[in-house]
């Protein structure tokens, strides 16, 4: 046993070591959330769209691989493509992690591949929309793969009654870093003339700095987290061609999930409503800039408002879950998400104040709905199969969230209206709410062989 590897049972009996790992675990959210906030939500969508338009023909189309794509749809399609790539990689990573017990080296590889691709966005200039599309696909897929491993640590570093709180704190750390870096981005972007930079150069520095931040702060969880030894019943599997059996492992995991149909039911509900959440997050800046005609400074400050309120929202919803249960709290957040989309559809153009109100509402529900979904799922995972099940979860979280961006992009391509695209997402929240309401979570936890928390 090495210093970085401990027996599976040790964490439960050593609160000091558990807290140390939890603090390190929080910092991966602190590291990678800057990509989600500064790159995916704020800068890359409008900037890549402008680069694509510079390369477009007279009808406003670019032609990657000879396929006609409206320049305004390129970003949404690239997000969908990145998720398809993640789908191919995540089962392999989950299988290797569970069979070898070594999540940390895989986490490091995925994190630094994504950070490097993000830093490379500094070179996205002129009409290099193909470079931007490629880097987006690599960075976004790497983030998804890394989150499989990151989330799989949760049931190993937190006792059942701690998980809502620990998961919510992780999201709060992420929103804190997102807010901090957005302040720096706002200073640089707004004052780019005084720094001797063009607007495009300022944007490219903001994009690249997110990659540097991601890579730098990933060092903290890599120092604090510990790999668990494979249990004896998994030792025989560890040498059975883990790398070559990723998809076989996914099939085995899905087959095993049939023994836990309530866990599968939760995953289906989460797949649907989280697709809506992820699409709103990734397409918000496009909607604000193209449909509502808001300038980049307004978008940055609105997302900064989201980040600040998301810290309070994640922690506040974590407290609500302790009194009302995670399931009821998530259902309430989905109702609010639906109201947000309806309000967004009717939002007037050139009205930053109304957009700020909408951003505030998003901030209050965004972190909590995702954090509580993660902690709720951790109760439904059979012990010893964390990475396998979280690979399937991550496919729901990111890997199967290709449908929302695809629908959003198609709606714009067919209608030329981002309002039609945004209102189409209501269906994801309505169906997800209905499916989640039907899941008996207490029975699901018991069926997975885990202790049932007092409130869930």
């Amino acid at each position: 046993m090495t210093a970085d590897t401990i027996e599976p049972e040790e964490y439960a009996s050593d609160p000091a070591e558990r807290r140390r790992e939890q603090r390190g675990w929080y910092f991966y959210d602190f590291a990678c959330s800057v990509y989600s906030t500064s790159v995916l939500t704020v800068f890359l969508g409008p900037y890549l769209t402008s680069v694509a338009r510079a390369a477009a023909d007279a009808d406003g189309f670019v032609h990657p691989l000879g396929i006609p794509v409206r320049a305004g749809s390129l970003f949404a399609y690239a997000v969908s493509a990145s998720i398809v790539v993640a789908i191919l990689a995540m089962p392999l990573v989950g299988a290797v992690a569970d069979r070898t017990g070594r999540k940390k080296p895989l986490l490091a590889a995925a994190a630094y591949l994504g950070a490097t691709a993000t830093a490379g966005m500094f070179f996205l200039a002129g009409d290099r929309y193909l470079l931007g599309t490629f880097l987006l696909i690599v960075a976004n897929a790497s983030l998804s793969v890394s989150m499989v491993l990151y989330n799989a640590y949760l049931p190993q570093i937190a006792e059942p009654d701690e998980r809502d709180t620990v998961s919510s704190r992780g999201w709060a750390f992420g929103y804190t870093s997102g807010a901090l870096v957005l302040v720096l981005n706002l200073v640089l972007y707004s004052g780019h003339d005084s720094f001797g930079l063009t607007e495009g150069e300022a944007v490219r520095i903001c994009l690249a700095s997110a990659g540097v931040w991601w890579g730098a702060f990933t060092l903290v969880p890599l120092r604090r987290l510990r790999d668990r030894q494979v249990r004896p019943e998994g030792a025989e599997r560890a040498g059975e061609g883990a790398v070559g059996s990723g998809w076989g492992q996914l099939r085995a995991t899905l087959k095993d999930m049939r023994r836990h149909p309530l866990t599968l039911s939760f995953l289906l509900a989460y797949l649907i409503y989280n697709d809506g959440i992820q699409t709103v997050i990734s397409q918000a800046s496009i909607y604000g800039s193209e449909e509502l005609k808001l300038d980049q400074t307004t978008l940055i400050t609105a997302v900064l408002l989201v980040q600040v309120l998301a810290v309070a929202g994640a922690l506040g919803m974590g407290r609500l879950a302790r009194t009302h249960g995670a399931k009821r709290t998530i259902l309430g957040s989905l109702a609010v998400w639906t109201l947000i989309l309806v309000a967004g559809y009717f939002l007037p153009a050139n009205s930053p104040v109304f957009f700020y109100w909408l951003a505030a509402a998003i901030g209050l529900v965004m972190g909590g709905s995702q954090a509580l979904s993660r902690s709720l799922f951790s109760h439904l995972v059979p012990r010893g199969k964390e990475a396998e099940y979280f690979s399937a979860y991550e496919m729901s979280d990111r890997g199967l969230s290709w449908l929302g961006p695809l629908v959003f992009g198609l709606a714009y391509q067919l209608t030329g209206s981002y309002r039609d695209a945004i209102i189409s997402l209501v269906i994801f929240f309505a169906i997800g709410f209905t499916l989640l309401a039907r899941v008996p979570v207490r029975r699901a936890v018991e069926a997975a062989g885990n202790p049932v928390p007092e409130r869930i």
Side-chain angles (χ1 to χ4, degrees):
M1 185 189 310
T2 68
D4 286 339
T5 306
I6 62 176
E7 294 288 351
E9 295 78 15
E10 282 190 23
Y11 79 95
S13 60
D14 188 351
E17 175 63 21
R18 192 167 69 246
R19 285 193 296 271
R20 182 179 186 276
E21 286 196 86
Q22 288 170 4
R23 287 192 291 269
W25 186 80
Y26 299 149
F27 267 92
Y28 190 67
D29 250 323
F30 192 84
C32 70
S33 291
V34 172
Y35 166 83
S36 299
T37 303
S38 290
V39 176
L40 199 61
T41 304
V42 177
F43 288 107
L44 188 56
Y47 186 70
L48 182 57
T49 300
S50 70
V51 171
R53 284 185 172 144
D57 60 21
D59 295 322
F61 285 82
V62 290
H63 300 268
L65 305 177
I67 303 170
V69 174
R70 192 186 290 270
S73 295
L74 179 70
F75 176 69
Y77 290 157
V79 172
S80 286
S82 72
I83 292 167
V84 172
V85 172
I87 289 174
L88 299 175
M90 287 190 292
L92 171 63
V93 171
V96 173
D98 276 336
R99 291 181 177 220
T100 64
R102 294 182 61 77
K103 298 184 188 70
K104 193 158 65 169
L106 296 169
L107 175 62
Y112 284 107
L113 178 60
T116 301
T118 305
M121 291 177 186
F122 177 79
F123 301 102
L124 177 57
D127 59 358
R128 298 176 183 171
Y129 75 94
L130 287 175
L131 174 64
T133 301
F134 172 75
L135 293 175
L136 168 58
I137 290 171
V138 172
N140 220 38
S142 297
L143 178 66
S144 296
V145 169
S146 72
M147 293 302 291
V148 170
L149 303 152
Y150 170 67
N151 287 335
Y153 274 105
L154 179 59
Q156 295 179 333
I157 65 172
E159 298 283 12
D161 289 332
E162 298 176 312
R163 290 180 197 166
D164 287 345
T165 299
V166 171
S167 184
S168 296
R169 284 177 180 170
W171 283 102
F173 263 62
Y175 291 128
T176 299
S177 73
L180 175 60
V181 173
L182 269 182
V183 170
L184 300 176
N185 290 160
L186 182 60
V187 171
L188 178 64
Y189 179 82
S190 300
H192 60 81
D193 287 333
S194 61
F195 291 107
L197 301 170
T198 66
E199 182 179 351
E201 288 170 340
V203 170
R204 290 190 288 121
I205 290 172
C206 291
L207 293 171
S209 65
V212 174
W213 182 284
W214 184 358
F217 283 99
T218 294
L219 292 172
V220 179
L222 293 181
R223 288 182 61 86
R224 293 287 185 92
L225 292 171
R226 296 290 182 265
D227 282 328
R228 270 72 184 167
Q229 289 185 328
V230 178
R231 288 177 173 79
E233 60 267 28
E236 183 179 339
R237 296 184 304 154
E240 293 180 359
V243 173
S245 60
W247 280 98
Q249 183 62 63
L250 176 62
R251 287 192 296 270
T253 300
L254 294 176
K255 183 178 180 180
D256 186 71
M257 278 187 175
R258 285 193 286 180
R259 297 172 47 238
H260 304 284
L262 298 180
T263 299
L264 201 55
S265 296
F266 172 81
L267 265 182
L268 178 60
Y270 182 68
L271 182 155
I272 301 296
Y273 71 73
N274 186 66
D275 203 342
I277 293 175
Q278 294 296 329
T279 306
V280 172
I281 292 171
S282 67
Q283 305 303 318
S285 60
I286 287 284
Y287 186 71
S289 63
E290 300 296 322
E291 185 67 37
L292 303 182
K293 310 302 179 185
L294 301 174
D295 59 35
Q296 191 72 52
T297 300
T298 299
L299 294 175
I300 295 173
T301 52
V303 175
L304 178 59
L305 177 63
V306 169
Q307 299 301 299
V308 171
L309 291 178
V311 175
L315 296 176
M317 287 182 65
R319 294 191 183 96
L320 281 175
R322 289 202 294 271
T323 56
H324 299 286
K327 177 183 171 180
R328 289 182 180 178
T329 307
I330 295 168
L331 288 172
S333 75
L334 297 183
V336 176
W337 274 109
T338 302
L339 294 175
I340 287 170
L341 288 177
V342 173
Y345 177 81
F346 292 105
L347 209 63
N350 300 304
S351 299
V353 173
F354 289 107
F355 190 70
Y356 288 143
W357 278 108
L358 201 66
I362 289 174
L364 290 174
V365 296
M366 182 170 68
S369 56
Q370 294 176 305
L372 293 178
S373 296
R374 178 171 63 187
S375 61
L376 180 55
F377 181 71
S378 73
H379 295 286
L380 311 182
V381 178
R383 181 163 292 191
K385 298 184 178 180
E386 292 85 4
E388 287 181 31
Y389 273 59
F390 268 106
S391 178
Y393 174 87
E394 193 64 22
M395 283 190 171
S396 298
D397 189 9
R398 299 174 193 273
L400 290 183
S401 293
W402 54 270
L403 184 58
L406 180 61
V407 168
F408 190 94
L410 285 173
Y412 177 75
Q413 178 139 344
L414 294 174
T415 68
S417 169
Y418 283 109
R419 291 186 188 272
D420 292 338
I422 202 73
I423 200 63
S424 69
L425 302 180
V426 168
I427 193 67
F428 291 96
F429 294 101
I431 295 176
F433 182 99
T434 302
L435 293 176
L436 178 60
R438 295 167 60 88
V439 178
V441 292
R442 284 189 172 274
R443 279 203 289 127
V445 176
E446 292 172 350
N450 293 322
V452 182
E454 182 179 349
R455 292 283 185 182
I456 193 169

